Amino acid sequence: MDLNIRGKVAVVTASSRGLGKATAEALAAEGVNLAICSRDEAAINRTAGAIKEKYQVEVLAEVCDVKDRSGIENFKDKVIRHFSTCHILFANAGGPAPGKVEQFSEEDFREALDLNLFSAINLVTAFLPFMKQQKWGRILASTSISVKQPIPTLALSNVSRAGVVAFIKSLSREIASLNVTANTLAPGFIMTERVENLLENQAENQGITYDEALANIIDTIPAKRIAAPEDFGALCAFLASEWASYITGETILIDGGMYRGLM
Ligand SMILES: NC(=O)c1ccc[n+]([C@@H]2O[C@H](COP(=O)([O-])OP(=O)(O)OC[C@H]3O[C@@H](n4cnc5c(N)ncnc54)[C@H](OP(=O)(O)O)[C@@H]3O)[C@@H](O)[C@H]2O)c1
């Protein structure tokens, strides 16, 4: 199926690897030009080079820490100077450190909010005006299955992501009539460096091997596997497509059936 977004411009943040990179690749495969960023210059340039070579699209790669509002402003200026507009935004960031509620200070919670909530707010603030003006836009924000079912060992993530859902849901109603959709993605377990690190952490805390920690997680997933980043990228590309124009204000799980609730 042609997703009908060839030639559009997508901003995909935190995209040198993992879910951001997979989303950038899935969009590039549809002929979408990209502005990508992460904190490590060599890593983001490597990713940009690989995508350009494979998909023959334009890729602007910048260093940007999405925790930093002025960094986002600076990134936006470069994107607009280069592409003049933005049609698709995937507001993505790294994940906060694992741990339980009582392990963390107020400062830790504030940092997690900067990383996962305020980055999304600041990215939307930067790029939404262009979508409104052209009456076409797709906003996607990364969260986690934890917005439906908090994960006991990820207190910072549980707290910081709930606000993203409230932000995107509130926003979606304000902009729907302008043909701009806004949705949140809620992945369960998708095999990236982040998940590898979390498994290493669980193995260490529980005195088990990495493979045992992996088997324990897979046991909780009805699909009996951890997804590949490409599974996530394909979902994002569809939600960014012309065909997803009537899907907005949703939190979409991609979890192999792991969430146990009804709604
Ligand atoms: N994978 C999963 O199963 C899963 C499940 C639920 C939620 N999530 C969440 O989804 C998001 C992406 O996860 P992932 O698995 O792709 O993580 P990952 O494999 O650790 O990749 C993180 C990416 O974000 C970049 N990054 C980290 N902090 C950044 C910052 N402050 N500013 C800009 N870029 C930053 C990293 O590059 P640099 O190091 O170069 O900055 C890297 O490209 C995270 O918030 C994660 O917690 C993932």
Side-chain angles (χ1 to χ4, degrees):
M1 179 163 91
D2 181 354
L3 295 186
N4 231 351
I5 47 177
R6 184 164 299 279
K8 296 218 184 285
V9 175
V11 170
V12 182
T13 61
S15 43
S16 61
R17 59 175 191 271
L19 304 185
K21 181 182 176 202
T23 300
E25 282 209 65
L27 291 168
E30 294 297 320
V32 172
N33 296 312
L34 298 170
I36 61 174
C37 73
S38 80
R39 296 163 305 173
D40 180 330
E41 187 171 11
I44 199 70
N45 284 336
R46 249 194 327 273
T47 296
I51 293 178
K52 266 191 240 178
E53 194 181 325
K54 188 162 176 194
Y55 301 101
Q56 312 294 316
V57 294
E58 256 189 87
V59 185
L60 174 71
E62 294 292 336
V63 171
C64 172
D65 185 336
V66 295
K67 265 204 292 197
D68 172 15
R69 185 157 67 99
S70 62
I72 288 178
E73 272 295 306
N74 195 20
F75 178 49
K76 177 203 76 180
D77 290 345
K78 289 179 175 153
V79 172
I80 298 307
R81 213 174 300 137
H82 191 91
F83 287 116
S84 306
T85 194
C86 164
H87 300 95
I88 298 160
L89 168 66
F90 177 39
N92 183 43
K100 297 190 175 197
V101 171
E102 288 177 299
Q103 283 171 246
F104 296 114
S105 66
E106 177 186 341
E107 198 45 41
D108 296 326
F109 281 100
R110 283 187 192 281
E111 269 187 37
L113 290 173
D114 281 339
L115 179 64
N116 292 126
L117 173 60
F118 286 102
S119 62
I121 292 175
N122 292 331
L123 283 161
V124 168
T125 303
F127 291 105
L128 176 61
F130 303 94
M131 300 182 188
K132 284 168 73 173
Q133 201 180 1
Q134 71 210 0
K135 294 202 171 44
W136 201 101
R138 300 285 184 265
I139 295 169
L140 303 171
S142 69
T143 62
S144 159
I145 189 176
S146 68
V147 300
K148 296 260 189 187
Q149 180 173 279
I151 299 172
T153 52
L154 289 177
L156 292 178
S157 174
N158 297 341
V159 171
S160 62
R161 296 182 197 281
V164 179
V165 174
F167 170 66
I168 292 291
K169 181 72 182 172
S170 309
L171 174 72
S172 68
R173 298 183 58 88
E174 296 175 18
I175 59 179
S177 66
L178 297 169
N179 194 25
V180 182
T181 66
N183 293 291
T184 35
L185 278 305
F189 283 94
I190 310 214
M191 195 43 91
T192 63
E193 215 169 293
R194 161 97 175 150
V195 167
E196 282 170 11
N197 293 338
L198 291 174
L199 286 170
E200 277 162 16
N201 183 269
Q202 279 187 16
E204 196 181 312
N205 287 345
Q206 294 169 21
I208 55 178
T209 66
Y210 177 94
D211 285 345
E212 284 166 340
L214 178 62
N216 289 345
I217 293 290
I218 289 177
D219 203 38
T220 67
I221 305 172
K224 295 296 165 215
R225 67 181 176 92
I226 289 191
E230 291 75 17
D231 295 318
F232 183 88
L235 173 63
C236 288
F238 176 73
L239 290 171
S241 78
E242 198 60 63
W243 309 117
S245 65
Y246 208 55
I247 303 172
T248 196
E250 287 298 321
T251 298
I252 294 145
L253 281 165
I254 169 164
D255 70 343
M258 193 181 174
Y259 172 59
R260 301 182 78 100
L262 282 178
M263 309 274 288

